[in-house]
Structures are given as structure tokens and as C-alpha cells.
């Protein structure tokens, strides 16, 4: 049967599902049920979700958990996290509590500049282009005035427009490299609208605009979060050795890209979860973070660690383009609720909270990796997933959870014990 379809977006939701079922699940009576099972009985709420994207046929749930007891710059937070990986919220909660008795987290925003570019081709004389740019620069700004009006009222807008010669990298390639301040909004739509208007004003017979788009690489939109305490207060049986191994783990991630990617993935476990819970764009954050991790020409750790004069210090520096107004933040009821739970932060405050979530996650991972190993905690958290997969009853589940409290968890060990129990 052909899987090609025209006019699909015009189908009603039911027609779309019928076509999917007929095409992919002709002998599976559960497919339709599974899709419909996730519809919200509140019709208005369902419609809201349907309209976020095209061709919506269902909702895809992620668990939404909270990690309490975070102290950031002396202020208490409960951090909402949307994530499917079983150990992430538990790790965040554990680390929040741990650092709450050691001075909490300190965080500061270092810079908040966003970037957008108009990419164009020009084959003429560079000096003439430069003259033309100097002459038209004020007009470029003027042409965006109606778009930037509200943003300027909030203290944002276009900070700078530069003409950049990129012909050393690509024949005839130039760009307008434009710096923005977007205050509490992530600013993607604002930046792209400004760029398209600027491109329109800028183009002439000799300038061929290729595209106008924001950049998700934001090395000047940086937040720093840190924890520190006396080595002796780290609370390990041998805190000196712990600090040393911890530092070595970070050092390894700085010289070995295979490890750095996993190290940073663990950081993103925390970061993405809060970014998603607050209705922000995790793909933008991911792309920007990994580009920043490669800024030296080699992919490295996003966190750093130092032990000096008996003080253990661990910190992260990461670009985060986040918004607390606009986008999905007020539209999605759970994003709105997340921001309320975070006491309605400004975008800068949210940058600090998200960076802390990443640092906390990395601390949890490195602490486990350099001491007990990661699997002990992971498999404990994974135990209930395995039990669920086996179709255990509530009584069997309670038994298995109890049984494995002091035993090593592995998939086969759980299956064996389950089978033994059923026999
Ligand atoms: C798993 O999701 C994340 C870790 O692999 C991170 C790390 O190795 O640092 C545990």
C-alpha cells in the first residue's frame, strides 16, 4: 500500500488517525487506542496543544518532576524538570540538599548579547560596499523602528550592526553581523523579523541576499554557576582523595572528547529538563552549548574544577538563550506554572537557575562515577521500569523493590527473581 499522501494537513484529526491506522497498523487494534488515550478530556486544553504544531494526532507526555531544596544566591528554589531519564530528578534533589548545607549555589550572568546575521553575496569592490554600508546604516536601524519599539521600551533592541568580510572563507561572501539585547524574551521571532527587514532595506542590484537568521551560537550570552566549600567539608570518608579524583574526572573531560561529550550530556540532562519545563527551546540551548564547548577548536568540558588552599571549587560557564516572556512560556499551562514555581524569574534569573541545574547534574554524575560507579544508582532508579515491563502486580512489585534494596540490580537478576517468585 502506498504511503504517499497529499492534502494530509487538511484532514481532520480523526481522518489523519484513520489514514495512519489503515497504512501502518491494519492488524493492530491498539494503535488507535494508544493515540487517543493521550488526548486530554478538556477539549479547550487539547485544542491548545493541537494548535502548537501541524498534523497533531496525540500528545506525547514526559514526566514532570520537581527538585526541591536548591539555594541559589541565598534564595530557595524548587526546580521543575520535564525529563524521561529516571535518575535525573533524584540526582538534582540529592545534590541540591547536599550543597544547601555547604553555602548553596552562586550564579551570575556575565553577558546577554544575542546575534543575528544577514548573509549575502557581493562581487564588487569592497570599499564601495563599505561606503554604501556606512551611508545606509542609520536607515537600517530606522527601518526596524516599528518592530523594535516595544523592545526598546524594555531596554532592549539592536545594539550594533557590523559589516563583515567573509571572502577569505567563501568567495563573495559578506554578512551583516548584528547584536541584539532581547531582555526577558528569548527573542528568536524579534531577531528574525528585524533581520528580514534590515535585509530588505540593505539589498540592491549588487547585493544578493542569501538568508537572514539568528545565530544559536551565543558566546556573549553567558551565565556562570559555582559551588565551593572546604575540602574537609565535602563529607566523604576520604574527602581529599574524593576532591582529587573529582578534579581528575573534569581534567579528563577537558582533554578527551569522547569523555567530554558524555560529561556534557550529563550536564544537559539537568539543563534540558528545566528548559523544557519552562517552555524554552532546548534544541537552541543544546546546539549553542556544544558549539561553546568546542570554542577552543577542541570539544571540552563545560564545567571546571579547582582545589586551591584547601577549597574545592566547581563551576560551569555556558551560553543560555532563554525567555520568561513570549513563545510557549505563557501559552503552555505547565510552562507558566513552572515559571510561577520559580517565582516568576527574569530571563537572567532563569539563566542562573538552569545553569545551576546543569552543574548539579554534573556534580551528581562525577561524584557517583568517581566513587561507587554510576550503575548502582541508575539501576536502582531503573528497577521500577524493569518491574513494570515484566507486568508485575503491586504485591510482586513491593516484594521486588524490597528484595533489591541491598542487592545489585541488573535486568537479568530482576527477571530471575520475578520468575522465581511466580513459580
Ligand atoms: C547519563 O545520562 C549521564 C552520564 O553518563 C553523565 C556522565 O557520564 O558524566 C552519567
Amino acid at each position: 500500500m502506498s504511503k504517499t499522501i497529499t492534502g494530509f494537513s487538511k484532514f481532520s484529526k480523526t481522518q489523519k488517525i484513520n489514514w495512519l491506522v489503515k497504512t501502518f497498523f491494519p492488524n493492530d487494534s491498539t494503535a488507535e487506542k494508544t493515540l487517543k488515550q493521550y488526548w486530554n478530556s478538556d477539549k479547550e486544553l487539547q485544542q491548545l496543544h493541537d494548535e502548537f504544531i501541524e498534523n497533531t494526532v496525540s500528545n506525547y507526555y514526559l514526566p514532570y518532576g520537581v527538585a526541591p531544596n536548591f539555594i541559589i544566591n541565598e534564595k530557595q528554589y524548587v526546580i521543575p524538570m520535564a525529563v524521561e531519564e529516571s535518575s535525573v530528578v533524584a540526582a538534582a534533589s540529592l545534590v541540591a540538599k547536599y550543597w544547601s548545607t555547604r553555602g548553596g549555589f552562586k550564579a551570575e550572568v556575565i553577558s546577554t548579547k544575542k546575534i543575528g546575521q544577514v548573509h549575502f553575496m557581493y562581487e564588487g569592490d569592497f570599499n564601495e560596499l563599505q561606503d554604501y554600508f556606512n551611508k545606509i546604516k542609520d536607515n537600517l536601524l530606522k527601518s526596524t523602528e516599528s518592530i523594535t519599539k516595544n523592545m526598546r521600551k524594555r531596554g532592549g533592541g539592536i545594539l550594533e550592526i557590523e559589516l563583515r568580510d567573509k571572502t577569505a572563507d567563501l568567495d563573495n561572501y559578506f554578512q551583516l553581523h548584528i547584536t541584539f539585547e532581547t531582555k526577558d524574551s528569548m527573542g528568536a521571532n524579534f531577531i528574525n523579523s528585524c533581520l528580514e527587514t534590515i535585509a530588505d532595506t540593505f539589498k540592491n542590484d549588487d547585493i544578493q541576499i542569501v538568508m537572514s537568521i539568528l545565530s544559536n551560537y551565543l558566546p556573549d550570552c553567558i551565565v556562570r554557576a559555582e559551588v565551593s566549600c572546604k575540602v574537609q567539608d565535602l563529607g566523604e570518608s576520604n574527602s581529599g582523595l574524593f576532591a582529587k579524583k573529582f578534579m581528575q574526572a573534569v581534567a579528563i573531560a577537558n582533554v578527551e572528547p569522547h569523555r567530554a561529550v558524555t560529561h556534557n550530556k550529563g550536564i544537559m540532562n539537568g539543563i534540558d529538563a528545566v528548559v523544557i519545563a519552562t517552555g524554552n527551546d532546548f534544541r537552541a540551548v543544546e546546539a549553542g552549548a556544544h558549539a561553546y564547548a568546542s570554542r577552543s577548536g577542541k570539544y571540552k568540558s563545560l564545567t571546571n574544577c579547582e582545589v586551591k588552599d584547601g577549597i574545592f571549587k566547581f563551576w560551569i560557564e555556558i551560553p543560555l538563550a532563554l525567555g520568561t516572556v513570549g513563545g510557549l512560556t505563557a501559552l503552555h499551562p505547565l510552562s507558566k506554572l513552572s515559571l510561577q514555581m520559580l517565582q516568576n524569574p527574569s530571563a537572567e534569573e532563569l539563566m542562573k537557575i538552569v545553569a545551576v541545574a546543569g552543574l548539579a547534574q554534573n556534580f551528581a554524575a562525577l561524584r557517583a562515577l568517581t566513587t561507587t560507579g554510576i550503575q548502582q544508582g541508575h539501576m536502582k532508579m531503573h528497577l521500577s521500569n524493569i518491574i513494570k515491563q515484566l507486568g508485575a502486580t503491586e504485591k510482586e512489585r513491593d516484594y521486588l523493590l524490597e528484595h533489591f534494596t541491598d542487592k545489585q540490580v541488573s535486568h537479568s537478576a530482576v527477571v530471575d527473581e520475578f520468575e522465581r517468585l511466580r513459580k
Side-chain angles (χ1 to χ4, degrees):
M1 176 168 182
S2 168
K3 293 177 176 53
T4 308
I5 179 94
T6 41
F8 187 71
S9 67
K10 305 269 178 333
F11 284 12
S12 70
K13 194 151 74 167
T14 306
Q15 286 171 321
K16 284 177 184 130
I17 291 179
N18 288 345
W19 181 81
L20 286 170
V21 169
K22 203 170 62 190
T23 313
F24 297 99
F25 313 96
N27 306 314
D28 180 355
S29 60
T30 62
E32 181 178 351
K33 191 169 156 251
T34 304
L35 285 171
K36 291 187 172 171
Q37 201 172 349
Y38 288 93
W39 287 6
N40 202 296
S41 55
D42 178 335
K43 289 227 165 64
E44 232 174 273
L45 188 64
Q46 185 53 56
Q47 194 181 343
L48 178 79
H49 283 75
D50 286 352
E51 288 171 2
F52 284 146
I53 61 165
E54 182 97 327
N55 294 343
T56 316
V57 289
S58 189
N59 304 303
Y60 190 97
Y61 292 177
L62 274 182
Y64 178 92
V66 296
N69 297 316
F70 271 95
I71 296 179
I72 306 172
N73 297 341
E74 323 281 325
K75 191 168 162 184
Q76 281 191 305
Y77 290 93
V78 174
I79 299 189
M81 303 179 104
V83 62
E84 87 299 346
E85 192 170 323
S86 42
S87 56
V88 172
V89 177
S93 307
L94 213 72
V95 171
K97 193 84 184 275
Y98 176 94
W99 282 106
S100 71
T101 58
R102 292 167 175 81
F105 292 80
K106 304 274 175 288
E108 62 169 327
V109 170
I110 294 175
S111 49
T112 56
K113 285 182 188 158
K114 311 266 169 69
I115 301 291
Q117 296 169 318
V118 176
H119 305 272
F120 65 96
M121 295 292 164
Y122 171 80
E123 294 184 23
D125 179 67
F126 179 67
N127 289 332
E128 277 178 29
L129 178 65
Q130 182 77 61
D131 285 349
Y132 171 68
F133 170 71
N134 292 341
K135 239 187 266 155
I136 204 169
K137 196 170 171 184
D138 283 346
N139 280 355
L140 298 180
L141 285 170
K142 270 203 199 92
S143 67
T144 62
E145 268 176 3
S146 61
I147 309 171
T148 60
K149 193 171 154 210
N150 284 338
M151 189 62 85
R152 280 185 282 120
K153 268 193 213 148
R154 291 193 268 138
I158 298 173
L159 302 180
E160 206 184 345
I161 308 184
E162 277 174 76
L163 170 67
R164 290 194 175 177
D165 181 347
K166 305 293 285 180
T167 52
D169 298 322
L170 184 67
D171 283 350
N172 308 322
Y173 170 36
F174 294 85
Q175 59 181 226
L176 297 179
H177 184 93
I178 307 174
T179 314
F180 297 84
E181 167 59 58
T182 61
K183 301 310 270 185
D184 285 336
S185 66
M186 191 266 194
N189 282 328
F190 169 74
I191 293 174
N192 289 334
S193 298
C194 288
L195 293 173
E196 288 187 4
T197 302
I198 288 173
D200 224 36
T201 314
F202 187 63
K203 71 174 183 228
N204 67 22
D205 289 347
D206 299 320
I207 289 170
Q208 184 215 333
I209 305 287
V210 179
M211 58 190 163
S212 309
I213 186 73
L214 64 78
S215 171
N216 291 121
Y217 180 47
L218 297 170
D220 287 315
C221 186
I222 301 289
V223 56
R224 185 183 196 280
E226 177 188 309
V227 284
S228 68
C229 71
K230 287 187 188 148
V231 170
Q232 74 215 41
D233 293 341
L234 282 165
E236 298 290 327
S237 53
N238 185 342
S239 290
L241 179 64
F242 169 77
K244 192 169 159 197
K245 282 182 76 177
F246 195 100
M247 230 171 44
Q248 286 164 343
V250 177
I252 289 169
N254 267 323
V255 297
E256 167 51 64
H258 278 94
R259 173 56 202 151
V261 173
T262 317
H263 176 101
N264 289 344
K265 186 273 180 186
I267 294 172
M268 302 317 284
N269 278 345
I271 290 197
D272 286 344
V274 191
V275 170
I276 294 172
T278 55
N280 274 281
D281 181 347
F282 68 95
R283 287 88 52 211
V285 166
E286 281 277 346
H290 297 297
Y292 189 69
S294 317
R295 68 194 181 286
S296 65
K298 181 169 177 168
Y299 189 89
K300 289 185 172 186
S301 164
L302 286 162
T303 52
N304 297 284
C305 183
E306 161 190 292
V307 176
K308 216 160 107 190
D309 303 328
I311 304 288
F312 170 89
K313 193 154 94 179
F314 179 49
W315 71 99
I316 186 168
E317 237 182 62
I318 186 168
L320 289 173
L322 301 175
T324 53
V325 297
L328 212 64
T329 52
L331 273 184
H332 195 302
L334 275 175
S335 313
K336 197 169 159 193
L337 184 129
S338 296
L339 290 167
Q340 282 166 347
M341 198 186 298
L342 293 171
Q343 302 156 67
N344 294 317
S346 63
E348 289 198 20
E349 276 169 317
L350 186 60
M351 285 168 79
K352 295 177 200 170
I353 295 163
V354 171
V356 163
L359 185 70
Q361 209 57 223
N362 193 220
F363 183 81
L366 296 187
R367 185 166 67 156
L369 286 167
T370 56
T371 55
T372 55
I374 206 79
Q375 279 313 88
Q376 187 180 310
H378 261 211
M379 291 311 284
K380 279 258 143 58
M381 292 301 300
H382 194 48
L383 178 58
S384 56
N385 286 346
I386 303 173
I387 295 173
K388 243 176 257 138
Q389 279 165 14
L390 293 173
T393 62
E394 209 171 307
K395 212 163 150 210
E396 288 166 338
R397 177 179 178 273
D398 290 347
Y399 167 80
L400 289 167
L401 287 176
E402 172 69 27
H403 177 82
F404 280 99
T405 42
D406 56 356
K407 291 181 190 61
Q408 195 180 25
V409 180
S410 71
H411 192 271
S412 58
V414 181
V415 174
D416 287 351
E417 190 55 28
F418 178 68
E419 282 173 355
R420 204 193 56 76
L421 183 66
R422 286 231 162 153
K423 261 185 220 149

